[in-house]
Amino acid sequence: MTMDTLETCLCGSGQHYADCCGRFHDGTAMPTSAEALMRSRFTAYALRKADYLLASWAENTRPAGIDFSKETAQWQSLHIITCKKGGAKDVKGVVEFKAFYSQDGTDCFMHEISRFVKTGQRWQYLDGVIKAAGKVETQQTSGRNSLCSCGSGKKYKRCCGQ
């Protein structure tokens, strides 16, 4: 997948990539909220944009580098669950999300709670805690009102069934 062939942004906004995360990736704009940064980082992972990921990472928790050479996950979609703070007037924010991907022919998910900080006018990723990860169960034998198989504790219809 390349930026040239990407029509709708992978972050789930419904916007064209160039009008959404593309402007953050090319440096013509900066995310104005923790959620916008989270969405742009997800899309950067999908497009393997290591430079953007490192630049948007808080200096005190940033790794020395990101090596995508052995990465086999194909990131597919992002579902924002909740955002706490992280707006224009905040200096901290928390974004809970589920990221869906395919790896070796298996549909998988990662459920994470990420923390963000704002330095000056720039939002940066601080760190995150993975709450659950695994295979996405495609058969829902108990119905939409049963607990979601991803381990979130929510009903399927309010979680992966959306």
Side-chain angles (χ1 to χ4, degrees):
M1 182 180 322
T2 67
M3 294 177 292
D4 298 333
T5 60
L6 193 60
E7 298 268 335
T8 303
C9 194
L10 290 171
C11 79
S13 68
Q15 297 179 27
H16 191 275
Y17 170 76
D19 299 327
C20 191
C21 294
R23 60 198 177 103
F24 304 139
H25 295 166
D26 69 16
T28 58
M30 290 190 311
T32 57
S33 69
E35 180 180 350
L37 180 59
M38 178 64 243
R39 289 181 180 280
S40 70
R41 286 177 57 81
F42 170 81
T43 303
Y45 267 103
L47 298 174
R48 297 185 174 28
K49 299 180 85 36
D51 291 343
Y52 179 80
L53 292 166
L54 291 170
S56 63
W57 210 309
E59 188 176 344
N60 58 331
T61 59
R62 180 185 310 143
I66 298 173
D67 181 10
F68 283 118
S69 66
K70 295 177 183 156
E71 177 70 40
T72 60
Q74 297 297 312
W75 296 95
Q76 298 170 331
S77 65
L78 176 69
H79 173 69
I80 301 292
I81 298 170
T82 61
C83 297
K84 295 179 184 170
K85 299 196 176 193
K89 296 182 180 182
D90 298 315
V91 294
K92 294 180 182 179
V94 175
V95 178
E96 181 177 0
F97 68 93
K98 285 185 184 173
F100 296 88
Y101 61 98
S102 177
Q103 188 163 24
D104 301 324
T106 302
D107 290 332
C108 302
F109 75 95
M110 179 182 74
H111 180 178
E112 182 174 315
I113 298 175
S114 294
R115 296 188 309 158
F116 297 86
V117 294
K118 188 162 76 172
T119 306
Q121 296 300 309
R122 186 180 186 112
W123 280 101
Q124 296 182 310
Y125 171 78
L126 182 62
D127 58 21
V129 174
I130 296 175
K131 301 299 284 182
K135 294 180 186 178
V136 173
E137 299 296 329
T138 55
Q139 290 185 343
Q140 192 63 22
T141 57
S142 301
R144 292 177 41 80
N145 286 318
S146 63
L147 289 178
C148 190
S149 61
C150 76
S152 68
K154 295 181 180 183
K155 289 183 179 182
Y156 175 77
K157 68 182 180 184
R158 302 251 184 248
C159 194
C160 294
Q162 289 187 329

